[in-house]
Coordinates of all heavy atoms in Angstrom, one line a residue:
L28 N -13.2 3.1 -2.1 CA -12.4 2.8 -1.0 C -11.0 2.3 -1.4 O -10.1 2.3 -0.5 CB -13.0 1.7 -0.2 CG -14.4 2.0 0.4 CD1 -15.0 0.8 1.1 CD2 -14.4 3.2 1.3
F31 N -8.5 5.1 -0.8 CA -8.3 5.4 0.6 C -7.5 4.3 1.3 O -6.7 4.6 2.2 CB -9.7 5.5 1.3 CG -9.6 5.7 2.8 CD1 -9.3 7.0 3.3 CD2 -9.9 4.7 3.6 CE1 -9.2 7.2 4.6 CE2 -9.8 4.9 5.0 CZ -9.5 6.2 5.5
W35 N -4.2 4.8 3.3 CA -4.1 4.4 4.7 C -2.9 3.5 4.9 O -2.2 3.7 6.0 CB -5.4 3.5 5.0 CG -5.4 2.9 6.3 CD1 -4.9 1.6 6.6 CD2 -5.9 3.4 7.6 NE1 -5.0 1.3 8.0 CE2 -5.7 2.4 8.6 CE3 -6.5 4.6 7.9 CZ2 -6.0 2.6 9.9 CZ3 -6.9 4.8 9.2 CH2 -6.6 3.8 10.2
M40 N 0.0 10.1 8.5 CA -0.8 11.2 8.7 C -2.3 10.9 8.5 O -3.1 11.3 9.2 CB -0.4 12.4 7.8 CG -1.1 13.7 8.0 SD -0.4 15.0 7.0 CE -1.6 16.3 7.4
V41 N -2.6 10.2 7.4 CA -4.0 9.8 7.1 C -4.5 8.9 8.2 O -5.6 9.0 8.7 CB -4.0 9.1 5.7 CG1 -5.4 8.5 5.5 CG2 -3.7 10.1 4.6
R42 N -3.7 7.9 8.7 CA -4.1 7.1 9.8 C -4.4 7.8 11.0 O -5.4 7.6 11.7 CB -3.1 6.0 10.0 CG -2.9 5.0 8.9 CD -2.2 3.7 9.3 NE -0.8 4.0 9.7 CZ 0.2 4.0 8.9 NH1 0.0 3.7 7.6 NH2 1.5 4.2 9.3
T43 N -3.5 8.8 11.4 CA -3.7 9.6 12.6 C -4.9 10.4 12.5 O -5.7 10.4 13.4 CB -2.5 10.5 12.8 OG1 -1.3 9.7 12.8 CG2 -2.6 11.3 14.1
M44 N -5.2 11.1 11.4 CA -6.3 11.9 11.2 C -7.6 11.1 11.2 O -8.6 11.5 11.8 CB -6.3 12.7 9.9 CG -5.2 13.8 9.9 SD -5.1 14.7 8.4 CE -6.7 15.5 8.4
T45 N -7.6 9.9 10.6 CA -8.8 9.0 10.5 C -9.1 8.5 11.9 O -10.3 8.6 12.3 CB -8.5 7.9 9.6 OG1 -8.2 8.4 8.3 CG2 -9.8 7.0 9.5
V46 N -8.1 8.0 12.6 CA -8.4 7.5 14.0 C -8.9 8.6 14.9 O -9.8 8.4 15.7 CB -7.1 6.8 14.5 CG1 -7.3 6.4 16.0 CG2 -6.8 5.6 13.7
T47 N -8.2 9.8 14.8 CA -8.6 10.9 15.7 C -10.1 11.3 15.3 O -10.9 11.6 16.2 CB -7.7 12.1 15.5 OG1 -6.3 11.6 15.8 CG2 -8.0 13.2 16.4
G48 N -10.4 11.4 14.0 CA -11.7 11.7 13.6 C -12.8 10.7 14.1 O -13.9 11.1 14.6
L49 N -12.5 9.4 14.0 CA -13.4 8.4 14.5 C -13.6 8.5 16.0 O -14.8 8.4 16.5 CB -12.9 7.0 14.0 CG -13.0 6.7 12.5 CD1 -12.4 5.4 12.3 CD2 -14.4 6.8 12.0
V50 N -12.6 8.6 16.7 CA -12.7 8.7 18.2 C -13.4 10.0 18.6 O -14.3 9.9 19.4 CB -11.3 8.7 18.8 CG1 -11.4 8.9 20.3 CG2 -10.6 7.3 18.6
T51 N -13.1 11.1 17.9 CA -13.8 12.3 18.3 C -15.3 12.2 17.9 O -16.1 12.7 18.6 CB -13.1 13.5 17.5 OG1 -11.7 13.5 17.8 CG2 -13.7 14.8 17.9
G52 N -15.5 11.7 16.7 CA -16.9 11.5 16.3 C -17.7 10.6 17.3 O -18.9 10.9 17.6
F53 N -17.1 9.5 17.7 CA -17.8 8.7 18.7 C -18.0 9.4 20.0 O -19.1 9.3 20.6 CB -16.9 7.5 19.0 CG -17.5 6.5 20.0 CD1 -18.5 5.7 19.7 CD2 -16.9 6.5 21.3 CE1 -19.0 4.9 20.7 CE2 -17.4 5.7 22.3 CZ -18.5 4.8 22.0
I54 N -17.1 10.2 20.5 CA -17.3 11.0 21.7 C -18.4 12.0 21.5 O -19.3 12.2 22.4 CB -15.9 11.6 22.1 CG1 -14.9 10.6 22.5 CG2 -16.2 12.6 23.3 CD1 -13.5 11.1 22.8
V55 N -18.3 12.7 20.4 CA -19.4 13.7 20.2 C -20.7 13.1 20.0 O -21.7 13.6 20.6 CB -19.0 14.6 18.9 CG1 -20.2 15.4 18.5 CG2 -17.8 15.4 19.1
L56 N -20.8 12.0 19.3 CA -22.1 11.3 19.2 C -22.6 10.8 20.5 O -23.8 10.9 20.9 CB -21.9 10.1 18.2 CG -23.2 9.2 18.0 CD1 -24.3 10.0 17.4 CD2 -22.8 8.0 17.2
T57 N -21.7 10.2 21.3 CA -22.2 9.7 22.7 C -22.6 10.9 23.5 O -23.7 10.8 24.2 CB -21.0 9.0 23.3 OG1 -20.6 7.9 22.5 CG2 -21.4 8.4 24.7
A58 N -21.8 12.0 23.5 CA -22.2 13.1 24.4 C -23.5 13.7 23.9 O -24.4 14.1 24.7 CB -21.1 14.2 24.3
A226 N -22.7 19.8 16.7 CA -21.8 18.6 16.6 C -21.1 18.7 15.2 O -19.9 18.4 15.1 CB -22.6 17.3 16.7
M229 N -18.5 21.3 15.4 CA -17.4 20.9 16.3 C -16.5 19.9 15.5 O -15.3 19.9 15.6 CB -18.0 20.2 17.6 CG -16.9 19.8 18.6 SD -17.7 19.1 20.1 CE -18.6 20.5 20.6
M230 N -17.2 18.9 14.8 CA -16.4 17.9 14.0 C -15.6 18.6 13.0 O -14.4 18.3 12.7 CB -17.4 16.9 13.4 CG -17.9 15.9 14.4 SD -16.7 14.8 15.1 CE -16.1 14.0 13.6
A231 N -16.2 19.6 12.3 CA -15.4 20.3 11.3 C -14.2 21.1 11.9 O -13.1 21.1 11.4 CB -16.3 21.3 10.5
I233 N -12.8 20.4 14.8 CA -11.8 19.4 15.2 C -11.0 18.8 14.1 O -9.8 18.6 14.1 CB -12.5 18.3 16.0 CG1 -13.0 18.8 17.4 CG2 -11.5 17.1 16.3 CD1 -13.8 17.8 18.2
G234 N -11.7 18.6 12.9 CA -11.0 18.1 11.7 C -9.9 19.0 11.2 O -8.8 18.6 10.9
V235 N -10.3 20.3 11.2 CA -9.3 21.3 10.8 C -8.2 21.4 11.8 O -7.0 21.5 11.4 CB -10.0 22.7 10.6 CG1 -9.0 23.8 10.3 CG2 -11.0 22.6 9.5
V237 N -7.1 19.0 13.8 CA -6.3 17.8 13.7 C -5.4 17.9 12.4 O -4.2 17.5 12.5 CB -7.2 16.5 13.6 CG1 -6.3 15.3 13.3 CG2 -7.8 16.3 15.0
W238 N -6.0 18.4 11.3 CA -5.2 18.5 10.1 C -4.0 19.5 10.3 O -2.9 19.2 9.9 CB -6.1 19.0 9.0 CG -5.4 19.1 7.7 CD1 -5.0 18.1 6.8 CD2 -4.9 20.3 7.0 NE1 -4.4 18.6 5.7 CE2 -4.2 20.0 5.8 CE3 -4.9 21.7 7.4 CZ2 -3.7 20.9 5.0 CZ3 -4.3 22.6 6.6 CH2 -3.7 22.2 5.4

Side-chain angles (χ1 to χ4, degrees):
L28 300 179
F31 177 77
W35 173 271
M40 183 175 176
V41 171
R42 293 196 295 270
T43 303
M44 292 181 62
T45 303
V46 172
T47 305
L49 291 176
V50 173
T51 305
F53 176 76
I54 294 174
V55 170
L56 178 63
T57 304
M229 186 179 298
M230 286 295 297
I233 292 175
V235 173
V237 170
W238 182 79

